[in-house]
Every structure is written in structure tokens, then in C-alpha cells.
Amino acid sequence: VPAMVFLSGSELHNSFWPSAYNPILTTSDALLLAFAATVTAGGVVELRRIASERERLLASERERVEDLRELATLKADFSRMVAHELGAPLAAVLAWLDLLESGRATSGSAELAHASIRAQVEALRSLVSDVRTAGEVERDDFRVELGEVPVSSILAEAEAFARSLPGEHPVGVEQRSDALVRADRARIGQVMRNLLSNAAKYSAFGSEIRIRASEHQDRVRFEVEDQGRGLAPEDLERVFEKYGRGSSDAGLPGAGLGLYISRRILEAHGSQLRVESEAGRGSVFGFELEVV
């Protein structure tokens, strides 16, 4: 627009107010020079803008390619993880079925075979449930159904589940609040089960697991404490990632989805899942819920 103003001014000046002859520079010439300078400056600015936009698009494309590469890696890791997690239970089930079909099983070994098959099927069902839930919590429309839930009922359900876990872990419960909290009862129960399952899995046989609930102003803090192997400093955030496992978890069952799912559920509650841990000295996983 400024360039066209200068050009028009130069033409109008020549048409209606011609300048006296000047061998150096007339007013019309000055306007033409201003027009040329404006066009040149505008061209430089536009070229810089185009270059900047091109660089932004290239950076966006590089980021997209990197995301696709990471997604491909995650898919490959997921395929390997699922194959590994499915392979062990299926192999155990097939081995016990071969024993039962051979006719060589005694009454004692047959009973053990049925118990083992049931346990392996439960492990498979748990894996399928975790994968399905991970898909649910990643959806943009994932929501929790908030209601008024007594702290006592959350602890009671958690204690009952903890006592059913393998490893003969004594369970201690500390309830320091009788409040109602705003929560999705089913989802918070799922979080507690994930934390307790991990506590039992990573703790020595017969070691104690403690469940606590304490009220602080307008929130209740829930904690699950174990006496297990603990976490190295570099693992404190890694364990919350999808398929994330601690550096010392090699060979242990699990898809690395429990803590990831739990954190996503708690984020939907407006809370955060945190951990305090030291290698060799156990872990405390905790979160807070709003008092009604």
C-alpha cells in the first residue's frame, strides 16, 4: 500500500504539478525512489517471512517424522512385550494340559495343575484388562464419574484386596480421616489395586504392606507403603511412563501399564500420583483427593 501511494503520487505530480527541470532530482523522482525503496524493503521482509515460515514447516515436519519414528518404536516394543507376556502363561497352561491329557497326573498334581491354569488365565485376563484400560484413558473423551465416596470404604476394599494377594504379606491400615472424598469409586479402586499389586510383587515374601489415609485441610492423602526393593533415582519418573519398568524389573511379569493407568486416572481427578523411594528400602506411592 505505501509503495502504490508513492507511485500514484509521482504520476499525479507529473500530471498536475510538473516540477521545474532539475538535472539532479525532481519531486516526482523522489517519489519514484521512495516507491522503489518501499518495494525493495517489502520484498526483503516478505522473503524473510517466507524463509521463516519454511523453517517452521520444516521443523514441524521433522517433529512429525520423529513422532512417527517413536510411534513405530513403541508399536514394536508393545508387540514384543505382549508376545513375551502372553508366551509365558500360554506355555505354562499348555504344559499342564499336556500332563492332564497324558493320564499320568496324580490327584495332587491334577489339583496343582488346575490351580496353576487358573492363575495363568487370571494373569492373561489382567494383561488384556490393562491394555484395554490404557486405550480408554488415552482417549480425549475419557472422563471419571465423580461422587461422594467414604474414605473408610476405599480403605476396606483395598485391605480386602491386599489380603488376597500372594506372598502372605501382613497388611496394616491407618485411617486418620472419616471424610467423604470426591472420586470415581470404581476408578480409585482400580488405582489402589494397581498400587497394592505392585507392592506385593516387588516385596519379599512375608514383608508388611501398609495402607494409610490422612486428612490435611481440604484433602485426604492416600498412601501405599511397601518394604520392597525400592527404586533407583533414575527410575522415579520412568515407572509412570507407558510400558515403563524399573531398571531392576527384568524377568518380572507385567506390562508396565499399571502405574501409567493409575496416573492418568488420578489426573482426571485433578490429582497426581507421586512416589518416595530409595533403592533397597521400599517405596511409598501416594495421591490426594478432595474432601466433599
Side-chain angles (χ1 to χ4, degrees), residues 85-101:
E85 294 297 326
L86 291 176
L90 287 174
V93 168
L94 289 173
W96 285 113
L97 287 176
D98 288 342
L99 175 64
L100 293 174
E101 291 174 355

Side-chain angles (χ1 to χ4, degrees), residues 102-119:
S102 69
R104 301 192 305 271
T106 63
S107 59
S109 61
E111 184 178 345
L112 180 61
H114 285 111
S116 178
I117 289 173
R118 178 175 295 278

Side-chain angles (χ1 to χ4, degrees), residues 40 69 132 148 199 209 226:
T40 302
R69 187 179 293 113
R132 182 186 296 117
E148 300 180 0
I209 296 174
D226 64 60

Side-chain angles (χ1 to χ4, degrees), residues 126 130 158 161-167 169 189-203 209 211 224-226 252-254 258-259 262 285:
S126 176
D130 281 350
F161 177 78
R163 295 191 184 281
S164 70
L165 292 169
H169 300 282
Q190 186 176 7
V191 170
M192 294 298 291
R193 289 192 295 275
N194 285 340
L195 297 182
L196 291 165
S197 295
N198 281 352
K201 182 193 302 184
Y202 297 111
S203 297
I209 296 174
I211 309 169
V224 173
E225 180 180 5
D226 64 60
L252 289 173
L259 292 177
S262 298
F285 286 86

Side-chain angles (χ1 to χ4, degrees), residues 9-30:
S10 173
E11 295 298 324
L12 289 172
H13 198 285
N14 278 333
S15 299
F16 296 103
W17 304 286
S19 302
Y21 175 76
N22 187 329
I24 300 176
L25 187 67
T26 65
T27 304
S28 177
D29 292 336

